[in-house]
Amino acid sequence: MAPGKERKILYEDVPEDHEEVISTVYSSPVPQQSPESNDEPFTTYFDEKIPIPEDEKHSWFSFRKLWAFTGPGFLMSIAYLDPGNIESDLQSGAVAGFKLLWVLLLATIIGLLLQRLAARLGVVTGLHLAEMCNRQYQKVPRIMLWLMIELAIIGSDMQEVIGSAIAINLLSAGKVPLWGGVLITIADTFMFLFLDKYGLRKLEAFFGFLITLMALTFGYEYVTVKPDQGKLLKGMFMPYCDKCGTPQLEQAVGIVGAVIMPHNMYLHSALVKSRQVNRADKKEVQEANKYFFIESCVALFVSFLINVFVVSVFAEAFFGKTNEQVHKVCTNSSSPHAGLFPNNNETLEVDIYKGGVVLGCYFGPAALYIWAVGILAAGQSSTMTGTYSGQFVMEGFLNLKWSRFARVILTRSIAITPTLLVAIFQDVEHLTGMNDFLNVLQSLQLPFALIPVLTFTSLHPVMNDFANGLGWKIAGGALILIVCSINMYFVAVYVTALGHLALYVVAAVVCVAYLCFVAYLSWLCLIALGISFLACGQTYQLGLTTHPELFLLNNVDADSIVTR
């Protein structure tokens, strides 16, 4: 491909029996290249397309159209409600009271802006983020990127599945062990996943039911505890943290890491493809972007309220409490779990298991079981969306052309196997250390979602008129830098606490390799943002041409090239 040839991108829908692709048009003749006609067309997991109704009476805003676009944003928002987030919320309340609610609000807003970029990529190009990475990056970085995202998905899955297993353990009064809960979660996840065979809207309605269940259960805890509304509003809208030390700072960093998850960018960019949008019509694309953004705002507002419920419950009831105080209350209430809390004056430390126990001690068995139902809904829903994330990532990066069942079995086996091993060999009461490690793992993977999505949405040849403007390039770059810096601090705190020379050496080696790869992706991103002087020297060997703003188009797969 000669770098000097003029190119442009047309966004159009192709026949239903083919995948939507980017069509590249050259000013000079290019031989027709297409996949063999005998190949079975490859379809994504969501084969059904939801039609968008016409509403000529309400041209600027239509509730009918908003309803048609409603679904992907709520599935995306479930990642903001997974057991890892719930645990971060309750620890935030127990450690800092209401003082870190403003961090939760800020993290949710940042997450919304980043999700907007992912959704726009899927709407405008018809390709989700994993497919785009597969077509645009060189082979070695593409494989490395896939492995990093797979690690993030496995880490997230472990938190989600174990969260469900803990909920089942609480609901069964300890009769179902952790590994048994994991097997039950895996089984019912497979069953629920095939709901989409009965229609995508029914599947989305089921996710809506699970979100409603979380709102009701955690809302019940909120009403029962009756948090101080003045302190709540002050903590939410006044960015302060009076008398906060290292534990509170680490908790604030943990909130950001828990809320903004790498695999969610890949998920959201794929989910928006489930709506019928004529990408040849600029007005329709603008409309789709608008309604998807409105839906995302509503969905993340709901998830924010649920997170606030959890933070407020533990801030009001358990902030400043000691193990001795809780031990006494649990003993007086004849709780079988009083032994979880040593009889000393150390500050209370809670996780989703101990959190349910403490609620049961203070507010009765109903509070414990309702808490467990909420955790089960959070774990089950996030496990299902995690399955879709793994599906899209593996299909997109590896271009798998297997049957649906085979693809689901493979993607689930990769993620579930380590989870089951942990559940067999780890005690349900001592999972906090592993949860911290999984949070660090996901924090490390965050650049591998945020940098590519900013890169592609800033390239005019990819996004055409919908490419990021100067404001969004600067804001997006700043947000990603802030989020990644915060997460690196979180990782540094965790590594320095390891306390073993061999572990420090391993961490140093991994750190050097990690930073080199992040620097490579950042370099390509900066060129995409318009800093073209960075494309110098022997850059052609790294995949760049003399037109750096177009270099990502050089690796488009042959089956996506259409000539006219």
Side-chain angles (χ1 to χ4, degrees):
M1 180 185 299
K5 299 296 181 184
E6 180 184 353
R7 310 160 197 175
K8 64 179 181 177
I9 301 298
L10 295 180
Y11 302 96
E12 60 178 16
D13 284 327
V14 294
E16 292 181 359
D17 60 338
H18 288 76
E19 183 72 11
E20 293 177 333
V21 297
I22 295 181
S23 302
T24 307
V25 182
Y26 300 84
S27 59
S28 59
V30 178
Q32 177 82 27
Q33 299 183 65
S34 60
E36 296 180 9
S37 58
N38 293 333
D39 289 348
E40 182 182 349
F42 175 61
T43 57
T44 61
Y45 200 84
F46 291 114
D47 299 333
E48 181 184 355
K49 295 280 189 180
I50 305 300
I52 307 302
E54 294 293 333
D55 193 345
E56 297 178 358
K57 293 181 179 179
H58 306 90
S59 58
W60 185 81
F61 181 82
S62 167
F63 280 103
R64 287 183 65 210
K65 286 189 175 182
L66 179 61
W67 178 249
F69 281 106
T70 296
F74 280 91
L75 268 68
M76 169 273 294
S77 73
I78 286 171
Y80 292 70
L81 296 168
D82 70 347
N85 271 285
I86 301 301
E87 181 157 299
S88 175
D89 291 338
L90 65 89
Q91 289 174 345
S92 169
V95 170
F98 297 96
K99 298 174 185 176
L100 296 180
L101 278 174
W102 65 273
V103 177
L104 177 62
L105 175 61
L106 186 62
T108 304
I109 292 172
I110 292 174
L112 172 64
L113 297 177
L114 295 174
Q115 295 293 162
R116 174 186 180 271
L117 296 179
R120 284 171 68 87
L121 179 69
V123 171
V124 174
T125 67
L127 296 171
H128 59 70
L129 185 54
E131 291 172 325
M132 189 64 73
C133 290
N134 179 50
R135 285 159 172 76
Q136 315 297 32
Y137 282 125
Q138 300 265 344
K139 183 176 182 180
V140 173
R142 182 171 71 233
I143 293 174
M144 291 175 64
L145 203 57
W146 168 63
L147 291 174
M148 293 299 101
I149 297 302
E150 283 293 345
L151 278 177
I153 292 173
I154 290 172
S156 177
D157 272 345
M158 290 178 74
Q159 287 180 312
E160 293 157 359
V161 173
I162 288 175
S164 296
I166 287 174
I168 292 171
N169 181 272
L170 287 172
L171 288 170
S172 65
K175 293 179 182 177
V176 178
L178 191 62
W179 60 267
V182 169
L183 292 177
I184 293 172
T185 302
I186 295 170
D188 60 28
T189 296
F190 275 110
M191 180 180 70
F192 291 138
L193 280 172
F194 286 97
L195 280 175
D196 74 334
K197 293 181 68 175
Y198 300 99
L200 184 55
R201 294 301 265 177
K202 291 184 176 63
L203 179 70
E204 291 173 348
F206 180 69
F207 279 106
F209 165 74
L210 292 176
I211 293 174
T212 303
L213 190 59
M214 281 184 268
L216 292 174
T217 52
F218 297 133
Y220 169 85
E221 308 287 358
Y222 181 85
V223 171
T224 301
V225 174
K226 299 182 178 66
D228 186 315
Q229 302 302 303
K231 290 181 180 178
L232 187 153
L233 293 173
K234 185 179 179 182
M236 189 181 300
F237 296 109
M238 289 186 64
Y240 84 111
C241 194
D242 186 38
K243 298 179 181 178
C244 287
T246 302
Q248 288 77 20
L249 178 60
E250 292 177 5
Q251 193 58 52
V253 172
I255 290 173
V256 178
V259 166
I260 303 172
M261 304 181 73
H263 69 273
N264 214 28
M265 300 293 160
Y266 290 84
L267 175 67
H268 199 195
S269 65
L271 292 174
V272 296
K273 292 172 59 179
S274 61
R275 268 52 181 177
Q276 284 184 1
V277 178
N278 178 15
R279 298 192 322 278
D281 187 336
K282 182 178 177 181
K283 184 179 178 183
E284 279 200 31
V285 175
Q286 285 177 326
E287 183 179 73
N289 285 331
K290 177 180 73 175
Y291 283 110
F292 276 131
F293 183 65
I294 293 172
E295 185 228 2
S296 296
C297 289
V298 174
L300 290 188
F301 176 71
V302 172
S303 71
F304 174 71
L305 287 181
I306 295 173
N307 283 314
V308 168
F309 288 162
V310 178
V311 174
S312 301
V313 164
F314 284 83
E316 181 68 29
F318 307 114
F319 174 56
K321 290 283 194 300
T322 64
N323 287 325
E324 184 181 17
Q325 291 173 309
V326 175
H327 180 85
K328 223 175 255 188
V329 172
C330 287
T331 302
N332 292 338
S333 63
S334 303
S335 170
H337 305 288
L340 279 175
F341 309 99
N343 197 8
N344 58 38
N345 286 322
E346 292 182 10
T347 304
L348 174 68
E349 293 184 2
V350 287
D351 51 32
I352 55 176
Y353 180 76
K354 291 180 181 177
V357 170
V358 170
L359 286 170
C361 291
Y362 276 78
F363 303 102
L368 185 152
Y369 290 117
I370 291 173
W371 168 263
V373 170
I375 295 297
L376 182 61
Q380 190 63 69
S381 58
S382 56
T383 301
M384 291 168 66
T385 54
T387 299
Y388 285 126
S389 298
Q391 188 84 8
F392 294 135
V393 165
M394 187 164 284
E395 289 173 358
F397 276 105
L398 304 185
N399 197 26
L400 292 180
K401 300 188 178 183
W402 298 356
S403 69
R404 171 185 298 189
F405 184 75
R407 279 158 18 210
V408 172
I409 290 293
L410 176 63
T411 55
R412 284 297 78 200
S413 299
I414 289 175
I416 293 300
T417 301
T419 308
L420 191 56
L421 291 175
V422 168
I424 292 172
F425 297 107
Q426 183 66 281
D427 194 304
V428 68
E429 299 171 3
H430 302 92
L431 292 172
T432 303
M434 189 197 68
N435 190 63
D436 290 341
F437 171 75
L438 294 176
N439 284 334
V440 168
L441 179 67
Q442 292 179 80
S443 296
L444 282 170
Q445 312 310 321
L446 204 52
F448 306 127
L450 301 187
I451 294 175
V453 79
L454 179 63
T455 300
F456 299 138
T457 55
S458 298
L459 281 170
H460 189 271
V462 172
M463 297 292 286
N464 208 5
D465 293 339
F466 297 94
N468 293 330
L470 180 61
W472 268 102
K473 288 179 180 179
I474 295 173
L479 288 176
I480 289 173
L481 180 62
I482 291 170
V483 170
C484 291
S485 299
I486 289 173
N487 281 275
M488 289 306 101
Y489 172 83
F490 182 62
V491 172
V493 168
Y494 181 83
V495 171
T496 53
L498 294 175
H500 196 287
L501 180 60
L503 294 176
Y504 285 143
V505 173
V506 172
V509 173
V510 172
C511 184
V512 171
Y514 172 84
L515 290 176
C516 287
F517 188 38
V518 171
Y520 172 80
L521 295 178
S522 300
W523 171 58
L524 298 184
C525 183
L526 289 172
I527 296 173
L529 291 175
I531 308 177
S532 56
F533 73 86
L534 291 176
C536 57
Q538 301 297 318
T539 52
Y540 185 82
Q541 297 178 7
L542 296 172
L544 298 174
T545 71
T546 55
H547 292 277
E549 72 279 3
L550 300 175
F551 76 92
L552 289 175
L553 298 177
N554 289 346
N555 298 321
V556 176
D557 293 338
D559 63 351
S560 68
I561 297 177
V562 180
T563 60
R564 290 187 182 276

